[in-house]
Amino acid sequence: MSAFNIILTADQSAQIADSMLPNLTLIGRVMREQFDGTNATTCGRLVLEVGTVPTSTLPALREAIRKAKKPAAKRPRKGQG
């Protein structure tokens, strides 16, 4: 798993501060935005989900994330392979 340091504004920090409690897990994902001419300063959103995840399930969660990040295997076309 990778770690990144992202500098938050005071408003952004205030939005998540109440959710950051001991024994909670933070999962983030980037939701990319299509450029439509009005969003020149952004390219997506970082969605953070906070919840409880039992420590015993973390290895399986990490493995699922690793698999999801792998490029999809090319499938043979119908009639081939």
Side-chain angles (χ1 to χ4, degrees), residues 17-57:
D18 292 339
S19 300
M20 297 309 302
L21 300 172
N23 300 317
L24 289 181
T25 300
L26 177 69
I27 298 175
R29 58 192 162 128
V30 174
M31 306 296 289
R32 297 184 189 268
E33 294 178 357
Q34 286 284 351
F35 178 72
D36 64 8
T38 64
N39 58 346
T41 60
T42 64
C43 62
R45 302 177 281 136
L46 175 61
V47 178
L48 302 174
E49 298 178 21
V50 179
T52 56
V53 176
T55 305
S56 62
T57 64

Side-chain angles (χ1 to χ4, degrees), residues 4-24:
F4 299 95
N5 288 324
I6 299 173
I7 306 301
L8 301 175
T9 65
D11 289 339
Q12 292 167 331
S13 182
Q15 288 179 22
I16 64 168
D18 292 339
S19 300
M20 297 309 302
L21 300 172
N23 300 317
L24 289 181

